[in-house]
Amino acid sequence: MNALRGAIVVIIALVIAVVILARGLDDGETANEPVETTDATTSAAPPPEPAPPPEPAPTPEPQPAADPPPPPPTAQDVELPPSAPDDMFDDPTPPPPPTHNRDEVRVLVANGTTVCGAAGRLATSLSAQGYNVLPAVNADNAAEISSVYYVDQYGADAGVVASLIQVPSAQVLPLPASPPTAPGEAHVLIHIGADDLAQPNC
């Protein structure tokens, strides 16, 4: 009886030893198995890509500069009117030479203004220059500008008289049918008008 018990105890001890041994082997294999490790750098989620920098605001296109005002015209740009003839401002053509001596030319001065003594003053001046001057008279009609009239063959002499008293040559005319006063024996008749020739003498 005791022997049977001993045998059972031995068998149980062997079973326990086998179980323990088996467990030990399992634990060893498990310990020897390579432990799969994960690369933190590879297994970890990749970091988010940095956001692209914001696009720069489009640079406004430069506006074309306003056209500058045109430069002022120069003397070369200004169109000048045609120049006057060279002889326009020359001295007036001198009268032709007189055909008579001054003492042969009878001159009558008629005052066509209200200026006192204008005819007498001019008569005295012409007499001093050698002309045969008749007594001064008052004209039958007034005149705005002075004129010098002449009878036939005394036009050149009248031109010389007009240049002496500064009457324009345009006012040296043949004696009209209705003269400012009766010429009498005069060859040249001066009709004083209301211009520079009418100088007082009283």
Side-chain angles (χ1 to χ4, degrees), residues 23-66:
R23 287 183 177 178
L25 291 174
D26 292 338
D27 294 338
E29 292 177 358
T30 304
N32 291 331
E33 289 180 358
V35 178
E36 294 182 1
T37 61
T38 58
D39 189 354
T41 59
T42 59
S43 62
E49 295 182 1
E55 295 183 1
T59 304
E61 296 182 0
Q63 298 296 326

Side-chain angles (χ1 to χ4, degrees), residues 179-196:
T181 188
E185 298 178 353
H187 302 129
V188 176
L189 171 62
I190 300 173
H191 189 193
I192 298 177
D195 51 23
D196 294 340

Side-chain angles (χ1 to χ4, degrees), residues 89-182:
F89 302 106
D90 291 345
D91 293 335
T93 304
T99 56
H100 304 86
N101 294 328
R102 291 189 178 186
D103 60 354
E104 298 174 343
V105 179
R106 291 190 292 270
V107 179
L108 174 62
V109 182
N111 188 357
T113 71
T114 58
V115 177
C116 177
R121 184 192 66 82
L122 186 58
T124 301
S125 175
L126 291 173
S127 178
Q129 297 185 56
Y131 285 97
N132 185 0
V133 181
L134 303 175
V137 297
N138 289 325
D140 297 335
N141 58 301
E144 292 297 326
I145 57 176
S146 299
S147 300
V148 177
Y149 300 103
Y150 59 89
V151 298
D152 291 341
Q153 300 181 3
Y154 283 82
D157 302 287
V160 175
V161 172
S163 65
L164 292 174
I165 61 177
Q166 298 183 358
V167 170
S169 59
Q171 294 304 116
V172 180
L173 306 168
L175 188 68
S178 298
T181 188

